[in-house]
Amino acid sequence: MEKLPKITVIIPVKDRVKYLYHILKTCLTQEYPNFEVIVADDASTDDTTEMIREFTIKDNRIRLIAREKRVDMLVIMGASKYLGLELYWKVFKASVVHYLHSKKTVGKF
C-alpha cells in the first residue's frame, strides 16, 4: 500500500487558550492518518502553553514550539513561509504545509 503524503498544520498562537482547545480537538478527529500539528506559541501570558503541553503528552501528532520572549507573529510566519518551507519539508518530511489561524475551525483534510 502506498503511503499517504504527510500534512503539517502550523498554528501560530499568542494568548489563545479560549480558542485553541476546540481547534486542537477538531484537528485530532481527522480521519486522514498522516498528519501533524505544530503550534508555535509566541510567549503567551495565559494558559495557552500549558494546555498545548497537555495535548502533546496525550497525542504525539501535536508538537509545541514555545518562545519565552515575544516575537511578532508576522515575522515568524513570514520567515517560515518564505525562507523555511524547505526546512519543514526536509525536517518534518511534510508534503503539504498549511497555516491555520488560531481562531478558525478545521474541516476535513
Side-chain angles (χ1 to χ4, degrees), residues 15-52:
D15 296 327
R16 295 287 191 213
V17 73
K18 177 180 175 182
Y19 305 101
L20 200 54
Y21 179 85
H22 175 70
I23 291 168
L24 291 176
K25 288 298 267 186
T26 304
C27 285
L28 294 177
T29 63
Q30 298 299 315
E31 295 174 7
Y32 190 85
N34 195 16
F35 76 94
E36 68 181 344
V37 177
I38 299 172
V39 184
D41 180 38
D42 192 15
S44 288
T45 56
D46 64 1
D47 292 329
T48 297
T49 305
E50 291 76 22
M51 187 196 52
I52 300 165

Side-chain angles (χ1 to χ4, degrees), residues 10-109:
I10 301 170
I11 308 172
V13 297
K14 169 75 173 147
D15 296 327
R16 295 287 191 213
V17 73
K18 177 180 175 182
Y19 305 101
L20 200 54
Y21 179 85
H22 175 70
I23 291 168
L24 291 176
K25 288 298 267 186
T26 304
C27 285
L28 294 177
T29 63
Q30 298 299 315
E31 295 174 7
Y32 190 85
N34 195 16
F35 76 94
E36 68 181 344
V37 177
I38 299 172
V39 184
D41 180 38
D42 192 15
S44 288
T45 56
D46 64 1
D47 292 329
T48 297
T49 305
E50 291 76 22
M51 187 196 52
I52 300 165
R53 281 196 176 104
E54 290 176 19
F55 271 92
T56 64
I57 291 168
K58 296 175 186 173
D59 195 309
N60 65 1
R61 295 174 294 178
I62 298 196
R63 295 183 183 196
L64 169 63
I65 299 173
R67 297 200 43 86
E68 291 182 16
K69 291 181 90 176
R70 178 149 167 48
V71 176
D72 190 330
M73 272 299 152
L74 292 176
V75 172
I76 291 174
M77 288 182 67
S80 61
K81 275 185 178 179
Y82 300 110
L83 302 175
L85 284 178
E86 184 175 331
L87 175 68
Y88 287 119
W89 292 323
K90 287 181 180 176
V91 173
F92 302 119
K93 297 179 176 57
S95 298
V96 178
V97 176
H98 177 72
Y99 285 85
L100 181 64
H101 189 282
S102 58
K103 286 187 180 179
K104 299 284 184 185
T105 57
V106 180
K108 293 286 183 192
F109 293 160

